[in-house]
Amino acid sequence: MRFNKTTYFTLLLAIGTLGLRAQDVKPPEKTVSEEIEIIRPYKPVLAEAVKLRRSPDLDNIKTYKAKFNYQLSDRKLELNTDIQKLQAQKVADERRAELFNNYVKGGIGNLGTFLAEAYVGMGQDPALQAGAFFRHFGQQGKLNKQNENKQQLSVFARSIGETATLNGKVNYQRHGLYFYGIDDQNPSLNPNPERQLLNFFELEGEAISKYTPDPDAFSYAAKVNGYLFNDRFSAKESALTLTGYLNKRISKFNLGLATSAELGKTKDLNTEVANNLFKVNPYVKLQAGGVKIIAGANLVQEFGTKSSTRIFPVVTADFTLIPDFLQVFGEVKGDVNRNTLKDLTDENPFLNSNITIKNSVENLSISAGIKGTGGPGFGYKARVYSREITDMALFVNSFDSFNKFDVIYDFGKTKILGLEGELSVQVSDNLKWTGKLNMENYKAGAERESYFKPQLRLSSNFSFVIDKKFTFDAAVSIQDDSKAKVFIVNPLNPDGTYPPVPDFDKERVVNVKGFVDLGVGGTYKINNKFSAFAKANNILNTNYSKFLYYRLNGFNIFGGLTYSF
C-alpha cells in the first residue's frame, strides 16, 4: 500500500537524520539494517451532509413561512437612456423698466399757433386706473377774425373687479370761433364777424361683466350718459341716454336683449323740440366652427314732438373661410338715428340760430365685404354697402346770413351706394402705414344734390422710427368736390321755416372744390424725460374749403417740447 511505503520512507529518513547527528558526538561502531512494518486499521470519517436521507418525507405537509421586515418606497422609474437636458443657469433679475404715467406738452408756431397739453395718471396698477387730461389749441388765420381755439378737460376712472369692470368719465369741451366766412365776389358783406362760443359738459358711467369661458355664462352691460350743450346765443340742449345689454350663453347659442332710451330736448329762441327714442333689440346668435350669425329685430318708438313706431329686421353673418386670413361678412338692418345740435355743430360749427331738429330714418341698409390678415402686421377690410335714408340732414347757407348755415332735411328717400376700404401694414415696430378709402354715390330724394357730401375721401398715415430716437410721421387727406345750395330769393315760409318741397327756381347749386392736404411731423427723443416735436400742416398751401365761404388756414408749422414724469 502507498500508506506503508510512505511510512517506511519517513522512518528511514528520520533514522538517517539521527544517525548524522549522533556521528558528531560518537561515531557508530557498526550499522544495523532492519525492516519495520506498522499495521493499523483505517477509519474513514464521513461529512454530515452525506448522512442526509436521499428520499423526501412526503408525510410532512407543514409549510414554512419566513418573516420579513421591509418598507416599500414610491419612486418613479427614471429612464436615463436619453440625453439629459441642460439646466438653465439662473440669471440676475432684469431691471424693471422705468415707465412714466404723466406728461406736459407745449408748442408754438406761425399763424398764432399755441398748444398746451397735459396728462396725469395713476401708477401701474392694472385693476385701478384714474387720470386727467387737458388740452388747449388755438390758431389765428390771415382772414378777418379767422380765430379759433379749443379746450378740453377730462377726468376718468376705471376699476376692474373679479366679476365686472366699472368706468366713469367727466368731460368738458369749449370751442370758440368767429363767423369769418367771406364771399370772394362780395368781400365787404361781412365786415365785423360775430363771435360764437360752444360749451359741452358730459357725465358718463358704465358697468360691464367680465368675460368667462363658461358655456352657459350670463353677461350684462349698462351705461348712462348725460350732457348739457349751449352756444353764445340762446341755443340749449340736454340729453340723457340709458343703455342696457343682457346675454345668456347656451352652448353654441346666445339669447340676448339690447335696449336703449335716448331722451333729449333742444331749445332756442323760437324753437323747442323733444325727439326721444326708445329701442328694443332682441336677438339670437349662433357661433360655432368659424360661423357667426345674429338674427333679431329692432323695435323703435319715437315720442316727444313726434310719435311713431317702426320695426326693422337685423341680420348679420360672419364666415371664416381661411382662419386669420379671410372672413366674409354681411349685414341687413334698419334704424332711426337721432339728430342732435351737438352732433351737427361737431360737423359744422358755423350753424345759425333756431336750427330745425328731427330724426332721420334709415329704412334699409345692406352691406357685405371681406376682412382678415395676411400675416403679422398686415390687415385689411373692404365692404360695399347700400343705404336708403329718409329725412337726411343737410347743411345750406342761410339766405339772411350767408356766412351761417341752416339745417334742412331731404324728406325724400336718399339712396347711397358706397365702397369702403381699410389697409394696415406694419413691417416692424419701427415702420407702420395705414390707409382708408371712402367712395359714395348719392342719389338725392326731393333735393337736387346731397349738399356737402363728397363722393371721394382718402386718408393715409405713415410712421417711421429712426435709430430709436427720431420718429417721422406723414399724413395726407384727399377730398373730392362737393355741392352747395345758394338761395337766389328768400325761400322761407312766413313763419320762418323752410317749405317741405324745395323750389328749384329760388336756388342754384355751387361747386365746392376738393383738396389735398399734406402734413409731416417729427419727434426727437432727447432722453427718457424730454423730447422735441415739430409738425407742418397744409404743406401745399392750398386755399381750400370744406364749407362754402369758409377757407381753411394755409401753410402752418409749429413745434415744442414734451416732458414726461
Side-chain angles (χ1 to χ4, degrees):
M1 297 175 63
R2 184 173 181 174
F3 177 80
N4 294 333
K5 291 180 180 180
T6 304
T7 305
Y8 298 156
F9 177 78
T10 304
L11 291 175
L12 292 176
L13 182 61
I15 294 172
T17 304
L18 292 174
L20 292 175
R21 292 180 178 176
Q23 192 175 17
D24 294 336
V25 178
K26 184 178 180 180
E29 295 180 354
K30 62 179 178 178
T31 302
V32 180
S33 298
E34 292 182 347
E35 181 179 355
I36 300 173
E37 181 178 358
I38 299 174
I39 300 173
R40 67 178 180 181
Y42 171 69
K43 295 181 180 181
V45 179
L46 299 177
E48 295 295 330
V50 181
K51 300 178 182 180
L52 296 177
R53 295 171 57 107
R54 295 182 179 274
S55 299
D57 185 3
L58 300 179
D59 295 332
N60 186 5
I61 59 175
K62 184 178 180 180
T63 59
Y64 174 74
K65 295 182 179 180
K67 295 182 179 181
F68 299 98
N69 293 325
Y70 56 87
Q71 292 181 350
L72 296 178
S73 59
D74 188 8
R75 297 185 62 185
K76 181 181 178 181
L77 177 61
E78 297 183 356
L79 299 178
N80 55 2
T81 57
D82 296 334
I83 299 176
Q84 295 184 356
K85 298 180 180 179
L86 295 177
Q87 299 296 326
Q89 184 178 2
K90 186 177 180 180
V91 298
D93 295 337
E94 184 179 359
R95 183 178 179 182
R96 192 172 184 179
E98 186 178 5
L99 302 178
F100 301 103
N101 298 313
N102 317 310
Y103 74 88
V104 292
K105 185 177 183 179
I108 57 175
N110 72 326
L111 300 180
T113 303
F114 180 73
L115 170 68
E117 188 174 299
Y119 174 84
V120 178
M122 288 184 56
Q124 302 178 20
D125 186 354
L128 180 61
Q129 291 291 319
F133 173 78
F134 170 78
R135 189 176 193 270
H136 166 84
F137 184 79
Q139 275 189 341
Q140 180 177 351
K142 296 180 180 180
L143 300 178
N144 182 28
K145 298 294 184 178
Q146 194 180 7
N147 301 353
E148 185 177 13
N149 60 81
K150 295 181 180 181
Q151 294 81 33
Q152 180 182 358
L153 176 61
S154 300
V155 179
F156 71 91
R158 170 178 291 182
S159 176
I160 303 177
E162 295 182 358
T163 58
T165 300
L166 303 177
N167 299 313
K169 179 178 69 173
V170 179
N171 182 34
Y172 172 73
Q173 296 178 7
R174 180 183 180 275
H175 189 184
L177 68 156
Y178 287 85
F179 293 97
Y180 68 89
I182 183 171
D183 185 355
D184 293 333
Q185 298 180 358
N186 299 284
S188 61
L189 288 180
N190 188 23
N192 188 23
E194 289 183 282
R195 184 171 179 263
Q196 176 67 290
L197 183 63
L198 306 173
N199 293 287
F200 173 72
F201 180 75
E202 178 186 29
L203 287 173
E204 183 176 285
E206 184 180 39
I208 305 174
S209 61
K210 295 184 67 175
Y211 174 79
T212 172
D214 184 3
D216 299 323
F218 175 77
S219 58
Y220 63 88
K223 182 178 179 180
V224 56
N225 178 279
Y227 72 81
L228 298 173
F229 176 82
N230 63 73
D231 66 3
R232 185 174 174 268
F233 303 98
S234 301
K236 296 180 181 179
E237 185 174 74
S238 59
L240 176 65
T241 302
L242 304 174
T243 305
Y245 168 83
L246 300 174
N247 185 86
K248 174 61 177 178
R249 206 182 322 169
I250 305 175
S251 184
K252 298 178 181 180
F253 289 89
N254 287 263
L255 302 178
L257 177 67
T259 181
S260 66
E262 303 176 29
L263 312 175
K265 179 181 289 187
T266 304
K267 184 178 181 180
D268 209 330
L269 190 62
N270 301 323
T271 60
E272 184 173 348
V273 178
N275 57 333
N276 305 317
L277 294 176
F278 178 71
K279 301 180 181 181
V280 178
N281 175 217
Y283 66 88
V284 177
K285 181 170 69 172
L286 169 64
Q287 185 171 1
V291 177
K292 182 171 69 174
I293 300 176
I294 303 176
N298 185 18
L299 173 64
V300 182
Q301 175 66 49
E302 290 185 86
F303 61 99
T305 304
K306 179 182 178 181
S307 179
S308 67
T309 303
R310 293 181 173 87
I311 299 178
F312 304 96
V314 178
V315 179
T316 62
D318 195 321
F319 303 95
T320 301
L321 301 182
I322 304 176
D324 298 330
F325 285 93
L326 178 61
Q327 290 178 270
V328 179
F329 63 91
E331 182 180 51
V332 177
K333 69 174 184 177
D335 203 354
V336 178
N337 300 317
R338 183 171 177 267
N339 293 309
T340 65
L341 188 62
K342 171 64 171 58
D343 293 337
L344 294 172
T345 53
D346 285 345
E347 185 176 355
N348 184 353
F350 307 104
L351 294 186
N352 202 355
S353 300
N354 300 312
I355 293 298
T356 303
I357 299 294
K358 63 188 301 186
N359 297 327
S360 298
V361 181
E362 189 171 353
N363 302 295
L364 184 63
S365 176
I366 303 174
S367 64
I370 59 174
K371 61 182 178 179
T373 60
F378 179 82
Y380 66 92
K381 179 181 179 181
R383 74 181 183 110
V384 294
Y385 56 89
S386 174
R387 301 170 63 192
E388 186 180 275
I389 302 175
T390 302
D391 292 332
M392 187 174 74
L394 301 171
F395 300 110
V396 294
N397 292 80
S398 174
F399 176 77
D400 295 328
S401 302
F402 77 98
N403 58 339
K404 295 182 180 180
F405 292 86
D406 293 330
V407 177
I408 62 173
Y409 297 86
D410 192 346
F411 70 91
K413 294 182 179 180
T414 302
K415 297 181 180 180
I416 306 172
L417 181 62
L419 169 65
E420 181 183 72
E422 297 180 23
L423 188 64
S424 176
V425 179
Q426 185 170 354
V427 179
S428 65
D429 294 338
N430 299 331
L431 181 60
K432 184 178 182 180
W433 175 79
T434 59
K436 185 174 182 180
L437 170 68
N438 290 88
M439 297 179 64
E440 293 178 318
N441 181 31
Y442 289 86
K443 185 178 180 181
E447 296 289 339
R448 285 183 176 179
E449 300 283 348
S450 295
Y451 306 114
F452 300 108
K453 301 294 184 180
Q455 296 190 10
L456 172 65
R457 287 174 293 166
L458 175 65
S459 61
S460 178
N461 293 275
F462 174 80
S463 177
F464 180 53
V465 179
I466 304 174
D467 194 26
K468 298 183 180 181
K469 287 285 187 178
F470 180 73
T471 302
F472 173 78
D473 298 302
V476 62
S477 178
I478 301 175
Q479 182 171 300
D480 196 12
D481 295 353
S482 61
K483 305 298 181 180
K485 175 193 281 194
V486 176
F487 294 108
I488 302 173
V489 296
N490 191 353
L492 299 178
N493 293 321
D495 61 353
T497 62
Y498 285 93
V501 179
D503 188 349
F504 297 149
D505 295 332
K506 297 180 179 180
E507 62 189 46
R508 62 188 176 92
V509 176
V510 179
N511 186 63
V512 180
K513 294 183 61 176
F515 61 87
V516 176
D517 192 333
L518 177 63
V520 296
T523 303
Y524 180 75
K525 186 176 180 181
I526 302 174
N527 52 40
N528 290 337
K529 293 188 175 182
F530 285 96
S531 61
F533 69 92
K535 187 174 183 180
N537 298 314
N538 196 4
I539 294 178
L540 303 178
N541 197 24
T542 306
N543 292 324
Y544 66 89
S545 303
K546 289 185 177 180
F547 297 100
L548 188 62
Y549 305 134
Y550 281 89
R551 292 206 311 261
L552 272 69
N553 293 328
F555 176 73
N556 168 237
I557 184 171
F558 66 97
L561 293 174
T562 301
Y563 173 70
S564 303
F565 59 97

